[in-house]
Amino acid sequence: MALNNKIEELKKRKEQIEKGGGDKAIEKQLAMGKMTARERVDAIVDENSFQEYDMFVQHDARDFDMDKMTLHGDGVITGTGMVNKRPVSIFAQDFTVAGGSLGSMHARKITKIMDHALKMHMPLIGINDSGGARIQEGVNSLAGYGDIFFRNTISSGVIPQISVILGPCAGGAVYSPALTDFVFVVDKISKMFITGPEVIKTVIGEEISMEDLGGARVHSEITGNAHFFAGSEAECFEQIKKLLGFIPWSNTEKAQKLEPKDPDKRYRIDRIMPSDPKQPYDVRDVIRAVVDGSDFFEVQELWAANAVIGFGRIHGETVGFVANQPLVLAGVLDVDSSDKIARFIRYCDAFNIPLVTFVDLPGYLPGIDQEHAGVIRHGAKILYAYSEATVPKISVILRKAYGGGYIAMNSRHLRADYVFAWPSAEIAVMGPEGAANIIFRKEIQSADDPEKMRALKVNEYKDKFANPYVAASRGYVDAVIEPLETRKLLVHALSVSVNKVQQIPHKKHGIPPF
Ligand code: HXC
């Protein structure tokens, strides 16, 4: 056959494969409000930058008449492309081909692109839209998942791994996203669960819809499995690109530096803190008041909202922000917010992203529920993560820093590099009311007017401890600053930390309170 004819044949073969599961299956996919796998890849990468590999790979299953079946691309598209001119590896499961189910060759395509991403030090983006392990392939599909999970784990902390759930992600398949750094979900489209509604009905007799069991909202608001929630696939792809703009391409690099920008003048940092210390405020306004262009990209916004985490830039450099949120539960630490904060610290530390922490919390949430849910074990994760992190670590104590919360939120004692405090800071073992009730109990009880005496003692305690100056006199706080000086000091602290070197004792690895 002449070369021209061979080229024609190649084109035809490719065209055939690009049709995925065929017109009917594609129609069904679109009718569900979903894009096709190829459209998704094209929507994420820069125009015409995608190069597909292994499009001719076929399954090798023989049972259940599979030997008579052709599955285009074996239900997954893999390749490399550019996002904002920087390389990424990507795979997208194609639900139109056997429900995107994962057989051994499908898995082999994924593990090959995962190995490639790790070798080339580039992010891996995985689009999940699959009925899970291909039932006809039995243990071979389970083996495929095992191979993926292993690579997710080994790549963790070396390259960024992003999971996008754009359809079902059922059964053990959920553990790949769970092992990656960031999980993106889309309202009404994403479904993640270990056992589906059918199994639940059979085994425990309960009826539940897929949406209520493991829809996008469930994972964004209740379980914390998802990091970003979008109303549409298009919005989700914009979020992915935005995230990629903030993070470095691997653990041996730093995030891209952009032109520094002043924060938006709308955010007046000197007007955020209410004069009544009992009044809440939105700590995100403090972050927006210090970051370039007031552009704060929040992570896990809808889950454990008593803690705020996310990325912003200070003087052009990416910074990871951690803050207590006085608007929600007064910003206390509990089981979920501890997990949220600790994991984010580890992400930033693994990828050379300095951490800025804004502190305003009354401590850990008291109560039987929290104690029994393991607030000791979960709360310890924050101490562990901050202590172990060697990236530049800066704290600003805005208001309350009580008890264990003071220590946990990147205190000097966990090797914070710089601790600043606003004059409104109150650093003490506990709140003035509780403290006065305990240490002045006798005086209060025996007074002619116990309420008057209580108020007197609360004030006495406040004057003595509820301020930043005792901590500053011990050097636990480096500088007491005016709110208006915050950005200037953060810029300074970050710029004098660029050569930070800190070693932790050599070990195989620590044993964090997982
Ligand atoms: C083989 C599968 C499949 C699977 C779907 N299909 N899931 N084929 N193995 N796991 C096929 C269907 O037979 C169908 O083929 C096509 O994909 C589309 O599926 P539908 O059911 O028609 O689609 P829909 O109605 O949208 O329902 C989607 C679904 C449902 C909810 C995902 O298909 C489903 O419940 N699948 C099984 C999910 C599951 O329990 N997976 C767990 C497997 S165990 P045709 O030819 O008719 O178009 C597991 C363990 C892994 O994953 C452990 C790793 C540690």
Side-chain angles (χ1 to χ4, degrees):
M1 212 193 287
L3 182 57
N4 274 351
N5 293 343
K6 288 191 174 183
I7 292 172
E8 278 313 307
E9 188 206 342
L10 169 66
K11 281 185 182 158
K12 271 198 197 124
R13 280 175 182 257
K14 280 171 122 180
E15 248 171 53
Q16 197 62 29
I17 291 168
E18 279 166 4
K19 284 191 181 140
D23 293 344
K24 230 170 126 194
I26 291 176
E27 226 171 82
K28 191 176 160 198
Q29 174 88 350
L30 301 180
M32 284 190 279
K34 291 158 64 172
M35 291 162 81
T36 65
R38 280 205 162 68
E39 285 169 346
R40 286 164 172 172
V41 170
D42 286 342
I44 292 175
V45 299
D46 299 346
E47 211 174 343
N48 293 326
S49 75
F50 183 61
Q51 174 57 51
E52 184 170 349
Y53 310 119
D54 291 337
M55 82 190 292
F56 299 111
V57 162
Q58 262 304 316
H59 71 85
D60 55 2
R62 295 287 165 262
D63 297 329
F64 304 103
D65 285 340
M66 287 284 287
D67 49 341
K68 301 188 189 85
M69 217 183 273
T70 303
L71 298 179
H72 290 317
D74 204 18
V76 63
I77 294 161
T78 61
T80 46
M82 309 297 258
V83 172
N84 287 328
K85 303 197 180 87
R86 296 199 293 168
V88 297
S89 285
I90 190 160
F91 72 83
Q93 292 180 310
D94 184 349
F95 193 82
T96 68
V97 178
S101 57
L102 183 138
S104 92
M105 293 308 288
H106 176 124
R108 213 186 286 180
K109 279 180 74 169
I110 294 178
T111 52
K112 187 170 159 186
I113 202 72
M114 291 177 85
D115 289 342
H116 191 68
L118 183 61
K119 182 169 62 182
M120 298 297 180
H121 269 207
M122 63 169 113
L124 175 79
I125 301 170
I127 301 177
N128 295 256
D129 186 2
S130 162
R134 187 172 297 149
I135 296 162
Q136 299 91 325
E137 294 201 33
V139 71
N140 285 329
S141 18
L142 300 184
Y145 274 120
D147 291 340
I148 293 170
F149 302 159
F150 175 80
R151 282 165 176 81
N152 284 136
T153 307
I154 294 305
S155 301
S156 177
V158 184
I159 52 167
Q161 298 184 81
I162 289 171
S163 295
V164 198
I165 315 299
L166 295 180
C169 181
V174 295
Y175 286 114
S176 173
L179 288 164
T180 60
D181 305 327
F182 298 105
V183 177
F184 289 74
V185 291
V186 175
D187 200 17
K188 311 278 191 304
I189 287 178
S190 315
K191 314 271 184 284
M192 278 176 101
F193 44 80
I194 300 268
T195 46
E198 285 299 324
V199 178
I200 292 179
K201 198 171 155 195
T202 315
V203 177
I204 46 177
E206 277 178 15
E207 289 213 32
I208 187 161
S209 71
M210 240 193 270
E211 187 66 32
D212 290 341
L213 180 64
R217 283 214 171 266
V218 168
H219 290 301
S220 304
E221 294 173 3
I222 300 173
T223 67
N225 286 329
H227 299 81
F228 296 97
F229 174 90
S232 67
E233 294 198 22
E235 188 193 348
C236 170
F237 301 145
E238 287 314 306
Q239 289 175 340
I240 294 169
K241 287 183 227 180
K242 179 145 189 176
L243 173 71
L244 287 171
F246 279 110
I247 59 178
W249 249 221
S250 75
N251 66 341
T252 53
E253 285 177 49
K254 282 196 156 193
Q256 272 182 321
K257 186 173 170 148
L258 298 188
E259 273 303 304
K261 237 190 196 176
D262 284 335
D264 191 323
K265 289 199 169 53
R266 269 184 307 147
Y267 295 99
R268 294 283 310 265
I269 199 162
D270 53 333
R271 298 209 182 149
I272 297 170
M273 179 71 68
S275 48
D276 177 354
K278 289 203 177 78
Q279 286 300 309
Y281 60 93
D282 190 343
V283 77
R284 291 173 300 188
D285 288 340
V286 176
I287 300 174
R288 291 184 190 112
V290 298
V291 294
D292 291 12
S294 296
D295 185 12
F296 174 52
F297 190 50
E298 191 169 351
V299 178
Q300 287 178 315
E301 182 182 351
L302 303 173
W303 180 63
N306 41 327
V308 170
I309 55 171
F311 299 106
R313 281 197 181 79
I314 290 193
H315 210 60
E317 306 266 14
T318 295
V319 169
F321 287 91
V322 176
N324 313 114
Q325 174 57 287
L327 273 187
V328 181
L329 292 172
V332 284
L333 289 175
D334 57 4
V335 166
D336 286 346
S337 58
S338 297
D339 283 7
K340 176 173 169 177
I341 290 174
R343 193 167 187 271
F344 185 69
I345 294 167
R346 284 180 81 87
Y347 181 84
C348 292
D349 189 46
F351 288 99
N352 313 310
I353 298 173
L355 284 158
V356 169
T357 304
F358 286 113
V359 186
D360 186 352
L361 82 164
Y364 281 90
L365 181 62
I368 297 167
D369 287 353
Q370 282 294 307
E371 296 289 348
H372 287 190
V375 70
I376 298 174
R377 180 164 51 88
H378 291 275
K381 294 178 193 179
I382 303 187
L383 301 166
Y384 197 103
Y386 269 128
S387 299
E388 202 189 37
T390 56
V391 287
K393 297 183 290 191
I394 304 162
S395 290
V396 184
I397 302 174
L398 305 176
R399 196 165 60 177
K400 299 182 185 81
Y402 293 159
Y406 157 73
I407 305 169
M409 291 302 289
N410 192 36
S411 61
R412 156 78 1 98
H413 323 292
L414 306 185
R415 299 288 184 272
D417 297 301
Y418 305 96
V419 180
F420 304 123
W422 285 7
S424 44
E426 300 174 14
I427 303 167
V429 172
M430 63 200 296
E433 282 78 13
N437 281 341
I438 294 169
I439 59 176
F440 302 118
R441 187 185 301 147
K442 284 196 197 109
E443 287 96 323
I444 293 170
Q445 278 172 354
S446 59
D448 294 339
D449 184 344
E451 280 319 305
K452 200 169 157 196
M453 179 61 87
R454 191 191 319 275
L456 203 74
K457 290 297 179 190
V458 165
N459 277 338
E460 196 179 306
Y461 184 88
K462 267 190 197 162
D463 288 346
K464 178 97 183 113
F465 290 116
N467 62 61
Y469 300 107
V470 180
S473 75
R474 306 283 304 171
Y476 301 149
V477 164
D478 298 301
V480 181
I481 63 168
E482 292 179 35
L484 277 172
E485 295 176 291
T486 309
R487 178 171 154 96
K488 193 183 83 185
L489 274 155
L490 290 176
V491 172
H492 177 82
L494 289 164
S495 52
V496 296
S497 304
V498 284
N499 294 326
K500 180 178 177 184
V501 178
Q502 187 175 19
Q503 306 287 353
I504 46 177
H506 174 73
K507 50 181 143 179
K508 187 172 174 190
H509 53 68
I511 302 135
F514 276 167

